[in-house]
Amino acid sequence: MRLTAIVIKDMLRRKRRVLHSVFGVSIGIMTVIAMLTVADSGEQALRMELENYGPNLSVVPDTARMDVELGGLTMGSVTVGETLLDSSVLPEIQRVADDAIRADMGISDPGPIAIVAPRLYLPASVGDRNVTVAGVSPGEERAIRVWWDFAEGGYISGENDIVVGAVAARSLGLSSGQTVNISGHEYTVAGVLGESGSNDDFLLFAPLATLQQTSGKGPVVSTVDVRALCTGCPVEMIAHALNAGIPGIHAIAVRQVAEAELGMWHGMRAVVLMIASVTLLVGLFGVMNAMTAMVAERRKDIGIMRAVGASRRQILSMFAQEAILLGVLGGLGGYVAGLLLAMAVGPLILGGVAVTPVFSYIPLAVGLAGGISMVAALHPALGAARMRVADAVRTSS
Amino acid sequence: MLELRSVSRMYGQGDARVVALNQVSLVVNAGDFISIVGPSGSGKSTLLNVMGGVDRITGGEILFDDQRFDLLSEEELTTFRRNRLAYVFQQYHLVPSLTVIENVALPMVFRAAGRDITRAWQMLERVGLRHRASHRPSELSGGEQQRVAIARALVNDPALILADEPTGNLDQASGRQIMSLFMELNDEGRAVVMVTHNLQLAQCAREIVELTDGRVVSRSTVPDRRLPSLRGIEKELADAAPGLANDNIMGVPPQGGNHL
C-alpha cells in the first residue's frame, strides 16, 4: 500500500466534496478553454482569409496632390504626376520583387516568384449606361483573385470575352453567353461573378490587351497588384525595394491592413483571457473553501495519521497528491466542457465559422487546474500539517 | 528506557493558566506495565501525551534511551514515535476509509515499508481478526476495532505502548479481552503505560501510579496482577454509578458506544 492509495480511497469516501471541488476547478478551466478555442478558430479563419487576401502589394502611379492657392485662398487641389503607368514597368516590378524575395529568404531559384497582375481602369458605356471596365491579364488576375467564384458561366478564354461583376450584371441585365457592346467594341459575356462585397461587383473585366488596343490608350496600366508566392514573405521590404528601385511608382503593402486586424484580434483575445482569469480566480476561492472544509472534516484522520507516524511532509504530500488528482479531473472536465461550450457559441460569435478542437490545450487545462488546486490546497494543507496531534485526536473524541 | 524528570505542562497564561502536570518524575523500564489512575482532570492523558511526544512540556526534561526526547524537532519526534512508540486510544481512531488490514498497515506506509505488509497480516492474525481484514472499521464491534488498533500499534514492533483508556468504550467482556492482550504483550517484554479510570483494570499492570492535580501522589506495585472478574468490574461500576451498572448487567455498553 502507498500514500497515493490512501489518498484515492479517502477521495472516494468523500465523493460529494471532491465533486464540488472538481466542479469549481472545471468552471474556471471551461471558461478559459472555451475562450481560447473560439479565439483560436477565429484567428485561424482570419489567417485563412489573409492567405486568400490576394495581393500583398499594390503598385500605383506616384502622384501628389498640390493645393491651388490664389491670393491667400485655397481654391482646391490638383493631382500632380502621371495617373497611368507604362506597361514597360511590369517586367521591372517582377524583377525587383523577385530579387527582394530571393535576397531576404535565401532562395536561389531563378524563376519568377511573385505574381504581377496589372489592371487598366477605363470609363466606358453600355448603351446609355456609364460603366467602368477593368482590363486584366487573365492568367495573373485569376491567380491573385483566388476567391472569385462564378454565379454563371466561366472565365475569360478569348480576347473578346468579358467577365461581369454581380451588381453590374444585374444592373445592365447581362448574363453569360450574351453579346454586349462596350464603347463600340463587341464582347461576349463569358461569366458573371458571384457577389463578393468588393469593388469587383461593379466592374466589367476585359482582357488588358484588347482594352488597351480598343481604347487607343496604348501599353498603359492603372494599378499593378503583386502577390508573392510564399508565406511569410517580407512584404514591407519588397514595397521598399520597389519604391526605391523604380521611379514613378508607389508600392503599398496591402497585407499591413490585415495584419493590423490580426493584431486587434490578439488584443481582444488578451482582454477575453483576462476576464477568464477572473473566473479562474473565483474558482480558486471556491476550491480553497472546499479544501478548507475537507481539512476540517479530516482533522481527526490527520491526527490519527500523525499519531501513527505520518510526518508533516507526508501529510503535505497527501494533500498535494489530492490537489493533483483534483486538477487532472477538473482540468479534463473543464476541457471537455469548454470545448462543448466553444462549439456551441463559437459559430454564433464568429459568424458561422465552425470551431475546431485544439487538443494541445489539454495539458494547459490540466496544468492550470492542477496549479489552482495546489494553490487552493496550500493554506489548508499547511494548517493540517501543523496541527498538534494531541489536539486533533482529543477534539475528535 | 523512558525517564521523566520534574516534567511540567502548563496551558494558558496569567489568570487563565492551568497546570496540567506539576513536577512529575517517572521512570518506565523495558518490561514495565504501569497503570496511571486518577480522577478526571488530574493530568493522566497529558502525561501520556508528553510521554508519546505528541504534546510539548513546559518544564523539566524527558529522556528516551538516554536521549533528550523533549528537545527533538517535530520531524525527529515523528520518526522516533514511528519507530519506538505506539498509541492505543480510547476511541480506537481507525481511518474509516481504509479496510482493517490497511489500517493495520498504515504505520508501515508512513515508514515507507508499505510494499510488503506481511507483518500487518501477522499482527491481525495475532489479535484474531484475520477474517475481518477486508471489512471497514464501521462494520466492526468496538472490541474488534480496539483489537485492530492494537494490531496497528504492534506493526512497527514498538518498545513502548501508550494506551489511553483502551477499554473505556468497551463492554466488560471486550475490555477483558483487550487487557488480556496487553498483559500478553507485556509478558513478551514490551513496556506498556496505560491510563485508566477503572481500578479493577489497573490491577492488570505491574505498577499503579496515582495522579492528582498534575502530581504523582503514589506509586505502588501490584502484588498479584490478574484479569479482573466481570463481577468485580460490575461491582466497581455499581459503586460509581448504580444505574449504569444495572444497564451493563443487561448487556448495554457504557457511554452508548460500540459493543459486541
Side-chain angles (χ1 to χ4, degrees), chain A residues 1-3 6 9-10 13 300-301 304 306-312 314 388 393 396-397, chain B residues 9 54-55 74-75 78 81-82 89 91 93 96-98 102 106-107 109-110 114-115 152:
Chain A
M1 194 169 62
R2 307 176 78 154
L3 272 185
I6 299 173
K9 276 169 179 283
D10 200 69
R13 190 173 144 239
K300 178 186 164 187
D301 290 359
I304 298 169
R306 292 278 286 126
V308 302
S311 65
R312 284 179 169 172
Q314 282 170 321
R388 286 176 68 241
V393 178
S396 63
S397 359
Chain B
R9 177 66 171 106
V54 297
D55 204 352
E74 194 58 39
E75 287 303 289
T78 301
R81 203 161 49 225
R82 187 191 291 158
F89 303 95
Q91 286 84 12
H93 286 331
S97 56
L98 302 180
E102 286 164 348
L106 199 56
V109 175
F110 295 128
R115 281 178 188 276
R152 180 181 66 188

mmCIF file of all heavy atoms in Angstrom, chain A residues 1-3 6 9-10 13 300-301 304 306-312 314 388 393 396-397, chain B residues 9 54-55 74-75 78 81-82 89 91 93 96-98 102 106-107 109-110 114-115 152:
data_model
loop_
_atom_site.group_PDB
_atom_site.id
_atom_site.type_symbol
_atom_site.label_atom_id
_atom_site.label_comp_id
_atom_site.label_asym_id
_atom_site.label_seq_id
_atom_site.Cartn_x
_atom_site.Cartn_y
_atom_site.Cartn_z
ATOM 1 N N MET A 1 0.840 -1.194 0.000
ATOM 2 C CA MET A 1 0.000 0.000 0.000
ATOM 3 C C MET A 1 0.884 1.257 0.000
ATOM 4 O O MET A 1 1.925 1.265 0.633
ATOM 5 C CB MET A 1 -0.901 -0.001 1.232
ATOM 6 C CG MET A 1 -2.005 1.013 1.127
ATOM 7 S SD MET A 1 -3.277 0.859 2.397
ATOM 8 C CE MET A 1 -2.376 1.138 3.883
ATOM 9 N N ARG A 2 0.455 2.269 -0.718
ATOM 10 C CA ARG A 2 1.230 3.510 -0.777
ATOM 11 C C ARG A 2 0.341 4.683 -0.370
ATOM 12 O O ARG A 2 -0.873 4.560 -0.280
ATOM 13 C CB ARG A 2 1.748 3.716 -2.205
ATOM 14 C CG ARG A 2 2.495 2.520 -2.729
ATOM 15 C CD ARG A 2 2.887 2.731 -4.143
ATOM 16 N NE ARG A 2 4.046 3.606 -4.223
ATOM 17 C CZ ARG A 2 4.900 3.572 -5.230
ATOM 18 N NH1 ARG A 2 4.714 2.743 -6.220
ATOM 19 N NH2 ARG A 2 5.931 4.372 -5.259
ATOM 20 N N LEU A 3 1.002 5.818 -0.193
ATOM 21 C CA LEU A 3 0.273 7.019 0.214
ATOM 22 C C LEU A 3 -0.841 7.362 -0.773
ATOM 23 O O LEU A 3 -1.941 7.736 -0.385
ATOM 24 C CB LEU A 3 1.238 8.207 0.301
ATOM 25 C CG LEU A 3 1.967 8.453 1.622
ATOM 26 C CD1 LEU A 3 2.762 9.740 1.542
ATOM 27 C CD2 LEU A 3 0.990 8.538 2.782
ATOM 28 N N ILE A 6 -4.022 5.611 -0.233
ATOM 29 C CA ILE A 6 -4.776 6.174 0.897
ATOM 30 C C ILE A 6 -5.534 7.419 0.428
ATOM 31 O O ILE A 6 -6.710 7.605 0.741
ATOM 32 C CB ILE A 6 -3.821 6.531 2.063
ATOM 33 C CG1 ILE A 6 -3.122 5.269 2.550
ATOM 34 C CG2 ILE A 6 -4.582 7.195 3.197
ATOM 35 C CD1 ILE A 6 -2.044 5.514 3.584
ATOM 36 N N LYS A 9 -8.509 6.428 -1.811
ATOM 37 C CA LYS A 9 -9.599 5.840 -1.014
ATOM 38 C C LYS A 9 -10.341 6.925 -0.251
ATOM 39 O O LYS A 9 -11.560 6.903 -0.148
ATOM 40 C CB LYS A 9 -9.024 4.814 -0.028
ATOM 41 C CG LYS A 9 -8.832 3.450 -0.673
ATOM 42 C CD LYS A 9 -8.029 2.537 0.214
ATOM 43 C CE LYS A 9 -7.857 1.184 -0.427
ATOM 44 N NZ LYS A 9 -9.050 0.359 -0.322
ATOM 45 N N ASP A 10 -9.575 7.857 0.266
ATOM 46 C CA ASP A 10 -10.191 8.936 1.017
ATOM 47 C C ASP A 10 -11.067 9.806 0.120
ATOM 48 O O ASP A 10 -12.154 10.217 0.509
ATOM 49 C CB ASP A 10 -9.097 9.783 1.672
ATOM 50 C CG ASP A 10 -9.658 10.584 2.802
ATOM 51 O OD1 ASP A 10 -10.027 9.952 3.812
ATOM 52 O OD2 ASP A 10 -9.770 11.803 2.667
ATOM 53 N N ARG A 13 -14.274 8.186 -0.620
ATOM 54 C CA ARG A 13 -15.186 8.233 0.512
ATOM 55 C C ARG A 13 -15.903 9.588 0.572
ATOM 56 O O ARG A 13 -17.027 9.692 1.055
ATOM 57 C CB ARG A 13 -14.402 8.012 1.799
ATOM 58 C CG ARG A 13 -15.272 7.818 3.003
ATOM 59 C CD ARG A 13 -14.445 7.448 4.204
ATOM 60 N NE ARG A 13 -15.018 8.053 5.383
ATOM 61 C CZ ARG A 13 -14.394 8.885 6.182
ATOM 62 N NH1 ARG A 13 -13.145 9.191 5.948
ATOM 63 N NH2 ARG A 13 -14.984 9.385 7.219
ATOM 64 N N LYS A 300 -9.575 14.717 12.338
ATOM 65 C CA LYS A 300 -9.356 13.505 13.150
ATOM 66 C C LYS A 300 -8.421 12.540 12.418
ATOM 67 O O LYS A 300 -7.445 12.044 12.992
ATOM 68 C CB LYS A 300 -10.706 12.838 13.417
ATOM 69 C CG LYS A 300 -10.590 11.546 14.199
ATOM 70 C CD LYS A 300 -11.958 10.868 14.298
ATOM 71 C CE LYS A 300 -11.789 9.431 14.709
ATOM 72 N NZ LYS A 300 -13.063 8.705 14.655
ATOM 73 N N ASP A 301 -8.728 12.292 11.135
ATOM 74 C CA ASP A 301 -7.907 11.348 10.360
ATOM 75 C C ASP A 301 -6.452 11.803 10.301
ATOM 76 O O ASP A 301 -5.530 10.996 10.400
ATOM 77 C CB ASP A 301 -8.443 11.214 8.927
ATOM 78 C CG ASP A 301 -9.775 10.489 8.903
ATOM 79 O OD1 ASP A 301 -10.237 10.100 9.993
ATOM 80 O OD2 ASP A 301 -10.344 10.324 7.814
ATOM 81 N N ILE A 304 -4.859 11.077 13.542
ATOM 82 C CA ILE A 304 -4.560 9.639 13.671
ATOM 83 C C ILE A 304 -3.273 9.323 12.903
ATOM 84 O O ILE A 304 -2.372 8.662 13.405
ATOM 85 C CB ILE A 304 -5.705 8.765 13.097
ATOM 86 C CG1 ILE A 304 -6.998 8.995 13.875
ATOM 87 C CG2 ILE A 304 -5.325 7.289 13.122
ATOM 88 C CD1 ILE A 304 -8.220 8.379 13.225
ATOM 89 N N ARG A 306 -0.893 11.282 12.001
ATOM 90 C CA ARG A 306 0.291 11.874 12.646
ATOM 91 C C ARG A 306 0.682 11.022 13.856
ATOM 92 O O ARG A 306 1.858 10.781 14.098
ATOM 93 C CB ARG A 306 -0.016 13.316 13.074
ATOM 94 C CG ARG A 306 -0.200 14.273 11.952
ATOM 95 C CD ARG A 306 1.110 14.809 11.380
ATOM 96 N NE ARG A 306 1.739 15.779 12.269
ATOM 97 C CZ ARG A 306 2.979 15.683 12.702
ATOM 98 N NH1 ARG A 306 3.724 14.660 12.361
ATOM 99 N NH2 ARG A 306 3.494 16.595 13.491
ATOM 100 N N ALA A 307 -0.338 10.553 14.613
ATOM 101 C CA ALA A 307 -0.050 9.764 15.813
ATOM 102 C C ALA A 307 0.592 8.419 15.476
ATOM 103 O O ALA A 307 1.412 7.922 16.235
ATOM 104 C CB ALA A 307 -1.337 9.540 16.599
ATOM 105 N N VAL A 308 0.200 7.839 14.340
ATOM 106 C CA VAL A 308 0.781 6.525 13.998
ATOM 107 C C VAL A 308 2.037 6.671 13.133
ATOM 108 O O VAL A 308 2.537 5.686 12.593
ATOM 109 C CB VAL A 308 -0.233 5.561 13.324
ATOM 110 C CG1 VAL A 308 -1.433 5.335 14.228
ATOM 111 C CG2 VAL A 308 -0.650 6.057 11.959
ATOM 112 N N GLY A 309 2.538 7.885 12.969
ATOM 113 C CA GLY A 309 3.868 8.022 12.362
ATOM 114 C C GLY A 309 3.966 8.848 11.095
ATOM 115 O O GLY A 309 5.036 8.910 10.484
ATOM 116 N N ALA A 310 2.875 9.511 10.677
ATOM 117 C CA ALA A 310 2.981 10.332 9.463
ATOM 118 C C ALA A 310 3.726 11.620 9.790
ATOM 119 O O ALA A 310 3.411 12.275 10.792
ATOM 120 C CB ALA A 310 1.595 10.660 8.934
ATOM 121 N N SER A 311 4.677 11.955 8.957
ATOM 122 C CA SER A 311 5.403 13.213 9.164
ATOM 123 C C SER A 311 4.590 14.353 8.556
ATOM 124 O O SER A 311 3.656 14.113 7.776
ATOM 125 C CB SER A 311 6.770 13.136 8.494
ATOM 126 O OG SER A 311 6.604 13.023 7.106
ATOM 127 N N ARG A 312 4.967 15.575 8.896
ATOM 128 C CA ARG A 312 4.273 16.734 8.311
ATOM 129 C C ARG A 312 4.411 16.720 6.803
ATOM 130 O O ARG A 312 3.494 17.046 6.078
ATOM 131 C CB ARG A 312 4.871 18.025 8.875
ATOM 132 C CG ARG A 312 4.411 18.271 10.273
ATOM 133 C CD ARG A 312 4.998 19.519 10.852
ATOM 134 N NE ARG A 312 4.325 19.838 12.097
ATOM 135 C CZ ARG A 312 4.704 20.787 12.922
ATOM 136 N NH1 ARG A 312 5.751 21.524 12.648
ATOM 137 N NH2 ARG A 312 4.050 21.019 14.034
ATOM 138 N N GLN A 314 4.703 14.163 4.907
ATOM 139 C CA GLN A 314 3.825 13.148 4.314
ATOM 140 C C GLN A 314 2.381 13.654 4.255
ATOM 141 O O GLN A 314 1.678 13.399 3.278
ATOM 142 C CB GLN A 314 3.919 11.845 5.106
ATOM 143 C CG GLN A 314 5.182 11.066 4.779
ATOM 144 C CD GLN A 314 5.435 9.904 5.717
ATOM 145 O OE1 GLN A 314 5.205 9.999 6.913
ATOM 146 N NE2 GLN A 314 5.912 8.808 5.168
ATOM 147 N N ARG A 388 -1.559 20.110 16.000
ATOM 148 C CA ARG A 388 -0.971 19.330 17.089
ATOM 149 C C ARG A 388 -1.729 18.025 17.197
ATOM 150 O O ARG A 388 -2.961 17.998 17.226
ATOM 151 C CB ARG A 388 -1.061 20.116 18.393
ATOM 152 C CG ARG A 388 -0.068 21.279 18.458
ATOM 153 C CD ARG A 388 -0.243 22.088 19.719
ATOM 154 N NE ARG A 388 0.136 21.329 20.897
ATOM 155 C CZ ARG A 388 -0.695 21.035 21.890
ATOM 156 N NH1 ARG A 388 -1.947 21.401 21.824
ATOM 157 N NH2 ARG A 388 -0.273 20.358 22.934
ATOM 158 N N VAL A 393 -6.542 14.597 17.987
ATOM 159 C CA VAL A 393 -7.106 13.341 18.478
ATOM 160 C C VAL A 393 -8.121 13.618 19.577
ATOM 161 O O VAL A 393 -9.151 12.971 19.659
ATOM 162 C CB VAL A 393 -5.967 12.407 18.968
ATOM 163 C CG1 VAL A 393 -6.541 11.139 19.530
ATOM 164 C CG2 VAL A 393 -5.025 12.101 17.826
ATOM 165 N N SER A 396 -11.552 15.143 18.432
ATOM 166 C CA SER A 396 -12.388 14.196 17.681
ATOM 167 C C SER A 396 -13.163 13.288 18.611
ATOM 168 O O SER A 396 -14.046 12.579 18.194
ATOM 169 C CB SER A 396 -11.499 13.363 16.776
ATOM 170 O OG SER A 396 -10.625 12.614 17.573
ATOM 171 N N SER A 397 -12.786 13.235 19.917
ATOM 172 C CA SER A 397 -13.442 12.267 20.786
ATOM 173 C C SER A 397 -14.873 12.676 21.101
ATOM 174 O O SER A 397 -15.220 13.805 21.043
ATOM 175 C CB SER A 397 -12.692 12.086 22.090
ATOM 176 O OG SER A 397 -11.564 12.833 22.178
ATOM 177 N N ARG B 9 3.661 20.711 32.636
ATOM 178 C CA ARG B 9 2.955 21.132 31.413
ATOM 179 C C ARG B 9 1.883 22.122 31.832
ATOM 180 O O ARG B 9 1.019 21.794 32.644
ATOM 181 C CB ARG B 9 2.315 19.929 30.710
ATOM 182 C CG ARG B 9 1.513 20.304 29.474
ATOM 183 C CD ARG B 9 2.442 20.855 28.407
ATOM 184 N NE ARG B 9 1.814 21.049 27.112
ATOM 185 C CZ ARG B 9 1.484 22.239 26.595
ATOM 186 N NH1 ARG B 9 1.668 23.337 27.300
ATOM 187 N NH2 ARG B 9 0.971 22.315 25.400
ATOM 188 N N VAL B 54 3.535 13.789 21.668
ATOM 189 C CA VAL B 54 2.519 14.499 20.880
ATOM 190 C C VAL B 54 2.142 15.801 21.579
ATOM 191 O O VAL B 54 1.389 16.601 21.047
ATOM 192 C CB VAL B 54 1.255 13.643 20.610
ATOM 193 C CG1 VAL B 54 1.605 12.439 19.774
ATOM 194 C CG2 VAL B 54 0.570 13.237 21.895
ATOM 195 N N ASP B 55 2.662 16.005 22.758
ATOM 196 C CA ASP B 55 2.459 17.267 23.466
ATOM 197 C C ASP B 55 3.815 17.692 24.027
ATOM 198 O O ASP B 55 4.604 16.844 24.454
ATOM 199 C CB ASP B 55 1.445 17.065 24.607
ATOM 200 C CG ASP B 55 0.766 18.373 24.991
ATOM 201 O OD1 ASP B 55 1.190 19.432 24.482
ATOM 202 O OD2 ASP B 55 -0.180 18.326 25.800
ATOM 203 N N GLU B 74 10.153 18.503 15.465
ATOM 204 C CA GLU B 74 8.896 17.852 15.148
ATOM 205 C C GLU B 74 9.104 16.619 14.250
ATOM 206 O O GLU B 74 8.538 15.562 14.482
ATOM 207 C CB GLU B 74 7.969 18.862 14.467
ATOM 208 C CG GLU B 74 6.524 18.448 14.362
ATOM 209 C CD GLU B 74 5.859 18.140 15.691
ATOM 210 O OE1 GLU B 74 6.113 18.850 16.681
ATOM 211 O OE2 GLU B 74 5.097 17.151 15.750
ATOM 212 N N GLU B 75 9.945 16.772 13.242
ATOM 213 C CA GLU B 75 10.185 15.658 12.308
ATOM 214 C C GLU B 75 10.923 14.517 13.000
ATOM 215 O O GLU B 75 10.622 13.348 12.789
ATOM 216 C CB GLU B 75 10.983 16.142 11.085
ATOM 217 C CG GLU B 75 10.184 17.002 10.113
ATOM 218 C CD GLU B 75 8.931 16.340 9.556
ATOM 219 O OE1 GLU B 75 9.067 15.414 8.737
ATOM 220 O OE2 GLU B 75 7.817 16.747 9.930
ATOM 221 N N THR B 78 8.558 12.673 15.126
ATOM 222 C CA THR B 78 7.689 11.806 14.314
ATOM 223 C C THR B 78 8.406 10.492 14.024
ATOM 224 O O THR B 78 7.827 9.401 14.167
ATOM 225 C CB THR B 78 7.318 12.506 12.983
ATOM 226 O OG1 THR B 78 6.660 13.720 13.305
ATOM 227 C CG2 THR B 78 6.420 11.654 12.138
ATOM 228 N N ARG B 81 8.656 8.473 17.210
ATOM 229 C CA ARG B 81 7.351 7.902 17.563
ATOM 230 C C ARG B 81 7.026 6.713 16.661
ATOM 231 O O ARG B 81 6.541 5.675 17.124
ATOM 232 C CB ARG B 81 6.295 9.002 17.380
ATOM 233 C CG ARG B 81 5.047 8.795 18.172
ATOM 234 C CD ARG B 81 4.257 10.056 18.337
ATOM 235 N NE ARG B 81 4.058 10.772 17.086
ATOM 236 C CZ ARG B 81 4.211 12.074 16.960
ATOM 237 N NH1 ARG B 81 4.581 12.802 17.981
ATOM 238 N NH2 ARG B 81 4.008 12.670 15.808
ATOM 239 N N ARG B 82 7.344 6.895 15.395
ATOM 240 C CA ARG B 82 7.044 5.860 14.403
ATOM 241 C C ARG B 82 7.793 4.560 14.703
ATOM 242 O O ARG B 82 7.265 3.467 14.557
ATOM 243 C CB ARG B 82 7.436 6.407 13.031
ATOM 244 C CG ARG B 82 7.063 5.556 11.879
ATOM 245 C CD ARG B 82 7.757 6.087 10.643
ATOM 246 N NE ARG B 82 7.249 7.369 10.190
ATOM 247 C CZ ARG B 82 7.943 8.219 9.428
ATOM 248 N NH1 ARG B 82 9.190 7.934 9.086
ATOM 249 N NH2 ARG B 82 7.413 9.345 9.031
ATOM 250 N N PHE B 89 -5.786 4.347 21.476
ATOM 251 C CA PHE B 89 -6.687 5.373 22.008
ATOM 252 C C PHE B 89 -8.003 4.765 22.489
ATOM 253 O O PHE B 89 -8.395 3.677 22.056
ATOM 254 C CB PHE B 89 -7.032 6.395 20.910
ATOM 255 C CG PHE B 89 -5.828 7.052 20.298
ATOM 256 C CD1 PHE B 89 -5.263 6.565 19.128
ATOM 257 C CD2 PHE B 89 -5.252 8.167 20.897
ATOM 258 C CE1 PHE B 89 -4.166 7.165 18.558
ATOM 259 C CE2 PHE B 89 -4.152 8.779 20.329
ATOM 260 C CZ PHE B 89 -3.598 8.273 19.162
ATOM 261 N N GLN B 91 -10.903 5.888 21.704
ATOM 262 C CA GLN B 91 -11.876 5.861 20.578
ATOM 263 C C GLN B 91 -11.334 5.070 19.386
ATOM 264 O O GLN B 91 -11.789 5.247 18.270
ATOM 265 C CB GLN B 91 -12.202 7.277 20.125
ATOM 266 C CG GLN B 91 -13.090 8.056 21.052
ATOM 267 C CD GLN B 91 -12.297 8.713 22.180
ATOM 268 O OE1 GLN B 91 -11.053 8.769 22.133
ATOM 269 N NE2 GLN B 91 -12.979 9.150 23.194
ATOM 270 N N HIS B 93 -9.699 5.206 16.995
ATOM 271 C CA HIS B 93 -9.112 6.067 15.963
ATOM 272 C C HIS B 93 -8.589 5.296 14.762
ATOM 273 O O HIS B 93 -7.421 5.374 14.396
ATOM 274 C CB HIS B 93 -7.990 6.927 16.552
ATOM 275 C CG HIS B 93 -8.497 8.034 17.409
ATOM 276 N ND1 HIS B 93 -9.715 8.629 17.218
ATOM 277 C CD2 HIS B 93 -7.937 8.658 18.475
ATOM 278 C CE1 HIS B 93 -9.895 9.562 18.125
ATOM 279 N NE2 HIS B 93 -8.842 9.609 18.911
ATOM 280 N N PRO B 96 -11.576 5.628 8.774
ATOM 281 C CA PRO B 96 -12.788 4.971 8.271
ATOM 282 C C PRO B 96 -12.765 4.587 6.801
ATOM 283 O O PRO B 96 -13.455 3.643 6.399
ATOM 284 C CB PRO B 96 -13.886 6.001 8.552
ATOM 285 C CG PRO B 96 -13.197 7.267 8.884
ATOM 286 C CD PRO B 96 -11.818 6.973 9.296
ATOM 287 N N SER B 97 -11.965 5.307 5.994
ATOM 288 C CA SER B 97 -11.981 4.996 4.554
ATOM 289 C C SER B 97 -11.126 3.776 4.219
ATOM 290 O O SER B 97 -11.199 3.255 3.107
ATOM 291 C CB SER B 97 -11.488 6.200 3.760
ATOM 292 O OG SER B 97 -10.212 6.590 4.211
ATOM 293 N N LEU B 98 -10.331 3.319 5.174
ATOM 294 C CA LEU B 98 -9.447 2.176 4.897
ATOM 295 C C LEU B 98 -10.012 0.896 5.507
ATOM 296 O O LEU B 98 -10.750 0.936 6.488
ATOM 297 C CB LEU B 98 -8.050 2.452 5.478
ATOM 298 C CG LEU B 98 -7.333 3.710 4.991
ATOM 299 C CD1 LEU B 98 -5.974 3.837 5.667
ATOM 300 C CD2 LEU B 98 -7.165 3.678 3.479
ATOM 301 N N GLU B 102 -5.652 -2.450 5.905
ATOM 302 C CA GLU B 102 -4.996 -1.189 5.520
ATOM 303 C C GLU B 102 -4.729 -0.323 6.745
ATOM 304 O O GLU B 102 -3.693 0.335 6.843
ATOM 305 C CB GLU B 102 -5.861 -0.433 4.512
ATOM 306 C CG GLU B 102 -5.829 -1.070 3.130
ATOM 307 C CD GLU B 102 -6.941 -0.588 2.211
ATOM 308 O OE1 GLU B 102 -7.892 0.073 2.701
ATOM 309 O OE2 GLU B 102 -6.886 -0.899 1.018
ATOM 310 N N LEU B 106 -1.037 0.880 8.107
ATOM 311 C CA LEU B 106 -0.823 2.329 7.965
ATOM 312 C C LEU B 106 0.536 2.814 8.490
ATOM 313 O O LEU B 106 1.254 3.527 7.765
ATOM 314 C CB LEU B 106 -1.975 3.079 8.648
ATOM 315 C CG LEU B 106 -2.188 4.535 8.262
ATOM 316 C CD1 LEU B 106 -2.382 4.695 6.763
ATOM 317 C CD2 LEU B 106 -3.385 5.114 9.012
ATOM 318 N N PRO B 107 0.946 2.421 9.703
ATOM 319 C CA PRO B 107 2.265 2.892 10.180
ATOM 320 C C PRO B 107 3.411 2.431 9.282
ATOM 321 O O PRO B 107 4.424 3.111 9.161
ATOM 322 C CB PRO B 107 2.387 2.262 11.568
ATOM 323 C CG PRO B 107 0.979 1.992 11.988
ATOM 324 C CD PRO B 107 0.258 1.628 10.733
ATOM 325 N N VAL B 109 3.205 2.170 6.022
ATOM 326 C CA VAL B 109 3.183 3.055 4.852
ATOM 327 C C VAL B 109 3.986 4.318 5.155
ATOM 328 O O VAL B 109 4.793 4.766 4.348
ATOM 329 C CB VAL B 109 1.729 3.428 4.468
ATOM 330 C CG1 VAL B 109 1.704 4.433 3.334
ATOM 331 C CG2 VAL B 109 0.945 2.183 4.102
ATOM 332 N N PHE B 110 3.764 4.858 6.350
ATOM 333 C CA PHE B 110 4.468 6.088 6.712
ATOM 334 C C PHE B 110 5.954 5.842 6.969
ATOM 335 O O PHE B 110 6.752 6.764 6.974
ATOM 336 C CB PHE B 110 3.812 6.744 7.929
ATOM 337 C CG PHE B 110 2.410 7.216 7.637
ATOM 338 C CD1 PHE B 110 1.344 6.843 8.451
ATOM 339 C CD2 PHE B 110 2.156 8.003 6.533
ATOM 340 C CE1 PHE B 110 0.055 7.267 8.161
ATOM 341 C CE2 PHE B 110 0.870 8.429 6.233
ATOM 342 C CZ PHE B 110 -0.178 8.054 7.049
ATOM 343 N N GLY B 114 5.426 0.024 3.088
ATOM 344 C CA GLY B 114 4.082 -0.451 2.795
ATOM 345 C C GLY B 114 3.975 -1.446 1.652
ATOM 346 O O GLY B 114 2.905 -1.957 1.365
ATOM 347 N N ARG B 115 5.105 -1.743 0.995
ATOM 348 C CA ARG B 115 5.036 -2.678 -0.143
ATOM 349 C C ARG B 115 4.789 -4.113 0.330
ATOM 350 O O ARG B 115 4.019 -4.845 -0.279
ATOM 351 C CB ARG B 115 6.341 -2.621 -0.945
ATOM 352 C CG ARG B 115 6.408 -1.423 -1.863
ATOM 353 C CD ARG B 115 7.729 -1.397 -2.579
ATOM 354 N NE ARG B 115 7.890 -0.152 -3.321
ATOM 355 C CZ ARG B 115 7.398 0.059 -4.535
ATOM 356 N NH1 ARG B 115 6.741 -0.894 -5.149
ATOM 357 N NH2 ARG B 115 7.568 1.207 -5.134
ATOM 358 N N ARG B 152 -2.424 -2.499 14.857
ATOM 359 C CA ARG B 152 -1.754 -1.375 14.199
ATOM 360 C C ARG B 152 -0.607 -0.861 15.071
ATOM 361 O O ARG B 152 0.463 -0.522 14.571
ATOM 362 C CB ARG B 152 -2.772 -0.251 13.968
ATOM 363 C CG ARG B 152 -2.189 0.972 13.290
ATOM 364 C CD ARG B 152 -3.226 2.064 13.100
ATOM 365 N NE ARG B 152 -3.679 2.598 14.386
ATOM 366 C CZ ARG B 152 -4.698 3.451 14.517
ATOM 367 N NH1 ARG B 152 -5.366 3.845 13.452
ATOM 368 N NH2 ARG B 152 -5.055 3.891 15.708
#
